[in-house]
Amino acid sequence: MSEVALELASNEGKAVAKPLPADSPLLIQELTVAYGEKPAVFSVDASIQPQSMTAIVGPNGAGKSTLLKAVLGIVPRLSGKVLVFGEPIENVMQRVAYVPQRASVDWDFPTRVIDVVLMGLYRELGLLRLVRRAHRERALACLDRVGMADFADRQIGQLSGGQQQRVFLARALAQNADLYLLDEPFAGVDAATERAIIDVLKALRGEKRTVVCVHHDLATVSDYFSNVLLINIRKIAEGPVATTFTAENLQKTYGGRLATAHIDQLKLPVA
Amino acid sequence: MLNAFLEALLFQAGYNTALVAIGAALLGIAAGGGGSFLFLRKRALVSDAVAHATLPGIGLAFMIMVALGGDGRNLPGLLLGSALSAMLGLIAVEWITRNTRLAEDAAIGAVLSVFFGFGVVLLTIIQTMTRGYQAGLESFLLGSTAGMLYQDAVVIAIGGSLAVAFVLLLRRPMTLVSFDAEFAATSGINVARMDLVMMGLVMAVTVIGLKLVGLILIVAMLIIPPVTARLWSERTEHVVFIAGGLGGLAGYLGAAFSASAPDLPTGPIIVLISFTLFAISLLLAPGRGVLAAFLRHKRFQIRVHRRQGLLALARGEVILEPLTRRVLRRERLIRRDGVATEKGRAAAAKAVRDESRWALARQLYQDETVYSRYDGLTPIETVLTRDEIADIDRRLGPPAPVM
């Protein structure tokens, strides 16, 4: 048993309370991120279950996106560790695919839909390898999975918001990863796109992959996800949706900002 | 003058001129290609700070070489000095942006002016120091081909080719970083290092081009060709290649021009040629050009007026709006007195029919596309199949006649 696992086990007070770090697709330990001198994420621990679909949920400014970016090393970590399948994430980035927020790029960039998906193959292509028919066909197959095959030659600026989001998802599919990290994939998309995306994510889970989404729509958490990680700068709770996504935990996460009436509408199990 | 220009253009004005023209073309290709990524990364102005930051390096290198008893005008020595101080300027911009609350534009302004000011002071000191003896460093400000030596041209030609090779080699990661730096970081690209490489490329182009174009205007070679190329293409590789081509063309023509009239500084001539290409493109480029945008808007406006006019006809209203009248009149949908023709009544009836089809379709198909395309202009035939429309028509019953 590795040092980390021993430490975890002893913290829990019972021998095999948690899975070994090597089994967890994503293990976050005491992760702190700060902008200037204000922590955006403070000492968050989380253990993402294998082949789960986990929603990271919390109010605006709770550090959801920051947590994801810090996990990926896009934002520097002030302290803490991130292990993917038991190894530091930096060593196993080829097993991780990331879907950034749609608004984070300039969609007037001179590029076509297929070119964006081919960016997902960068790791394979490297500097010198030419894009061959086989690569192009793989990219097209990924576009087909998100229902965008007919748009391959479109300029990306001509797409609607939902279509842009699907192209980003297709690029991540091209990476053929084991762990998918998505930042608000359902934000501002039409209902057809939302269905297309959730179908793809559920299919990924069926292929024994693990999906983690930053998610803001409380109404769909129970339908879409198996697990939930509630954060508001600190971790509030984590676990299966059925036992963790409770009115009590939501109240702790959102405080007064979430009206009781709103929680009632969600028809949550009572803890 | 024209004769001299043609000779220079056709490589008949002597070996040196031909070499300079080829060198300038290579420099233009490298600047246009490398500048494309800077432009796409939205950091075009950093190159201006880098270019201006070369001046103190030139002055100091000259002084040091003279102090050591050498020739102060030794080009490799001057270029080394300029590269070192450009690097310092670049580091200063990056440091200020990262470690203070100042944004990049402020950092660029500060670094650019301080380095340039210091450089000008050094040049003045050199001038008084070397009374009567022409240091000739002023030519680094605006560039010149006059008095260019064979080895100067060779330095430019080799440097330009290396820069082009670099652009070709790194085009993929540079594209990725320019489009989506966060994603690039997760695909195994060191974004900070790639930014540094991009800047290094800019620095190399600047330093190589110092003698030819001059440090004040080199930024134009890095920015104008990519901006022009963007007007013509929607694909990154094409933008890079077109920018390289335009830059090469401008460099070649500019060098030939300048060589045919020794008093003309090279830099400004190249900039003016680049600008001419840009102005033509801005006007005429399909898609992004001003003319194309104007025509697109006009056509769209006419569609709107035609449709609204037909609906007004169907309601039996008198059309007063002059543009609407013109549009309907041109298609012979109304007579001169504004009364609908046979053809106009048929078109109006079809417009009304389509409106009721849309209304029913929106009830029948609770579908995204039906809702999002209900914009008054989209023909219903492009959204629904023929069978679906036939079904709607059955439900609607026979069309009502238009008065």
Side-chain angles (χ1 to χ4, degrees):
Chain A
M1 204 188 260
S2 80
E3 200 182 273
V4 184
L6 275 173
E7 187 188 321
L8 264 179
S10 64
N11 279 352
E12 281 297 306
K14 39 192 165 168
V16 205
K18 294 222 168 179
L20 292 175
D23 294 334
S24 174
L26 177 60
L27 194 63
I28 302 169
Q29 296 176 324
E30 296 179 9
L31 181 64
T32 297
V33 189
Y35 292 121
E37 288 180 9
K38 188 182 182 313
V41 170
F42 187 78
S43 197
V44 166
D45 288 300
S47 169
I48 303 297
Q49 299 304 306
Q51 294 143 45
S52 67
M53 239 173 103
T54 303
I56 302 178
V57 173
N60 288 333
K64 307 184 293 285
S65 296
T66 303
L67 177 68
L68 213 55
K69 287 182 186 177
V71 160
L72 287 156
I74 297 169
V75 170
R77 301 191 274 266
L78 211 60
S79 74
K81 264 196 235 171
V82 176
L83 300 180
V84 168
F85 302 106
E87 289 194 55
I89 187 167
E90 286 75 17
N91 302 348
V92 282
M93 280 304 289
Q94 71 279 1
R95 298 183 72 178
V96 183
Y98 170 52
V99 180
Q101 276 184 24
R102 181 162 53 84
S104 65
V105 307
D106 169 18
W107 289 92
D108 193 36
F109 197 86
T111 194
R112 295 170 307 170
V113 166
I114 184 95
D115 298 321
V116 174
V117 182
L118 283 167
M119 287 177 190
L121 297 176
Y122 172 77
R123 219 178 256 287
E124 275 172 54
L125 291 166
L127 290 182
L128 299 172
R129 201 107 36 96
L130 291 175
V131 175
R132 302 203 177 278
R133 182 192 288 267
H135 297 122
R136 214 170 286 279
E137 273 164 12
R138 261 176 64 195
L140 276 173
C142 294
L143 276 175
D144 197 37
R145 281 187 77 175
V146 298
M148 289 288 293
D150 294 341
F151 294 82
D153 290 324
R154 282 283 183 94
Q155 209 278 327
I156 54 168
Q158 297 170 359
L159 304 179
S160 71
Q163 291 169 336
Q164 291 172 350
Q165 189 67 59
R166 287 194 251 174
V167 172
F168 261 15
L169 181 58
R171 178 176 68 175
L173 291 178
Q175 291 181 296
N176 194 22
D178 297 311
L179 172 63
Y180 281 82
L181 304 176
L182 299 90
D183 197 348
E184 302 252 17
F186 304 109
V189 303
D190 53 286
T193 297
E194 182 147 344
R195 273 194 304 277
I197 293 177
I198 197 65
D199 286 348
V200 169
L201 295 184
K202 286 187 168 160
L204 284 175
R205 200 182 161 205
E207 296 163 11
K208 312 270 180 225
R209 305 176 207 252
T210 307
V211 177
V212 179
C213 289
V214 170
H215 192 66
H216 69 288
D217 183 8
L218 296 178
T220 51
V221 169
S222 305
D223 287 342
Y224 291 173
F225 297 95
S226 66
N227 292 56
V228 66
L229 170 62
L230 292 166
I231 67 167
N232 190 351
I233 301 176
R234 289 157 170 267
K235 182 176 86 176
I236 308 299
E238 82 173 300
V241 168
T243 54
T244 313
F245 194 62
T246 58
E248 191 193 352
N249 280 336
L250 279 177
Q251 202 69 62
K252 276 194 215 159
T253 313
Y254 284 80
R257 274 183 279 183
L258 196 65
T260 324
H262 192 139
I263 296 183
D264 288 346
Q265 271 176 15
L266 295 171
K267 298 189 183 71
L268 299 167
V270 185
Chain B
M1 157 94 196
L2 183 66
N3 228 2
F5 174 61
L6 283 177
E7 274 179 5
L9 207 56
L10 301 170
F11 298 118
Q12 275 154 17
Y15 184 61
N16 248 10
T17 314
L19 204 63
V20 169
I22 293 172
L26 275 170
L27 178 73
I29 294 171
S36 296
F37 292 107
L38 211 60
F39 160 62
L40 292 174
R41 184 97 172 95
K42 302 191 184 348
R43 298 190 69 196
L45 267 187
V46 181
S47 62
D48 209 18
V50 169
H52 281 76
T54 56
L55 193 57
I58 295 171
L60 285 174
F62 181 90
M63 288 166 142
I64 291 169
M65 287 190 288
V66 169
L68 294 176
D71 178 8
R73 285 174 298 180
N74 178 293
L75 189 62
L78 291 176
L79 293 191
L80 182 68
S82 71
L84 288 177
S85 78
M87 209 181 299
L88 212 61
L90 179 58
I91 292 170
V93 171
E94 299 263 323
W95 188 88
I96 292 172
T97 314
R98 197 162 324 126
N99 295 313
T100 71
R101 285 167 168 273
L102 293 175
E104 191 168 73
D105 57 342
I108 289 171
V111 168
L112 183 152
S113 47
V114 169
F115 273 72
F116 190 67
F118 182 46
V120 170
V121 169
L122 286 177
L123 284 199
T124 318
I125 294 173
I126 289 170
Q127 242 155 19
T128 51
M129 209 170 78
T130 58
R131 240 165 293 143
Y133 163 65
Q134 268 299 92
L137 294 186
E138 311 80 44
S139 73
F140 282 103
L141 292 179
L142 293 175
S144 89
T145 52
M148 179 173 277
L149 302 173
Y150 169 69
Q151 50 272 43
D152 301 353
V154 171
V155 168
I156 292 171
I158 293 177
S161 324
L162 282 178
V164 170
F166 234 88
V167 171
L168 286 177
L169 182 68
L170 294 177
R171 66 190 192 289
R172 203 172 276 155
M174 288 198 293
T175 306
L176 209 53
V177 169
S178 304
F179 174 59
D180 190 345
E182 290 187 353
F183 180 81
T186 65
S187 348
I189 295 172
N190 185 329
V191 176
R193 193 182 304 159
M194 199 46 65
D195 272 335
L196 216 62
V197 166
M198 265 192 234
M199 284 301 146
L201 193 65
V202 167
M203 214 175 71
V205 170
T206 307
V207 168
I208 298 161
L210 271 185
K211 182 86 183 169
L212 202 60
V213 188
L215 62 92
I216 295 180
L217 291 176
I218 189 85
V219 62
M221 283 193 92
L222 288 160
I223 297 177
I224 300 179
V227 173
T228 310
R230 180 69 185 94
L231 289 166
W232 292 97
S233 176
E234 298 288 349
R235 293 179 59 180
T236 311
E237 313 95 271
H238 295 182
V239 169
V240 174
F241 284 122
I242 296 172
L246 292 171
L249 182 69
Y252 178 68
L253 291 177
F257 232 119
S258 158
S260 59
D263 286 341
L264 285 180
T266 324
I269 300 287
I270 293 181
V271 172
L272 287 179
I273 292 172
S274 296
F275 172 74
T276 308
L277 295 171
F278 168 74
I280 294 170
S281 307
L282 185 66
L283 198 65
L284 298 180
R288 294 188 159 246
V290 173
L291 205 60
F294 176 75
L295 290 177
R296 235 185 355 258
H297 178 73
K298 269 284 159 225
R299 271 198 297 274
F300 178 72
Q301 197 178 19
I302 286 173
R303 274 177 67 205
V304 170
H305 279 262
R306 183 181 188 278
R307 183 82 185 164
Q308 288 183 331
L310 285 177
L311 290 174
L313 276 187
R315 288 192 300 268
E317 291 169 13
V318 181
I319 295 164
L320 297 173
E321 160 76 33
L323 178 60
T324 313
R325 281 184 80 109
R326 265 205 312 282
V327 170
L328 293 181
R329 182 91 185 95
R330 196 163 46 195
E331 288 191 47
R332 308 216 174 283
L333 296 169
I334 54 171
R335 297 197 316 233
R336 190 182 299 277
D337 58 5
V339 177
T341 62
E342 193 68 33
K343 193 179 161 198
R345 279 204 297 278
K350 164 87 167 76
V352 170
R353 182 74 177 169
D354 282 348
E355 284 295 305
S356 14
R357 282 168 169 172
W358 269 112
L360 189 55
R362 276 155 53 82
Q363 287 174 25
L364 291 178
Y365 306 100
Q366 302 283 327
D367 190 45
E368 239 70 40
T369 47
V370 174
Y371 275 83
S372 66
R373 303 294 297 281
Y374 178 65
D375 52 15
L377 288 181
T378 309
I380 196 161
E381 291 86 355
T382 61
V383 179
L384 298 181
T385 64
R386 197 176 300 193
D387 291 346
E388 285 169 333
I389 293 175
D391 176 47
I392 287 174
D393 281 349
R394 250 194 318 280
R395 290 165 192 257
L396 281 175
V402 169
M403 306 301 120

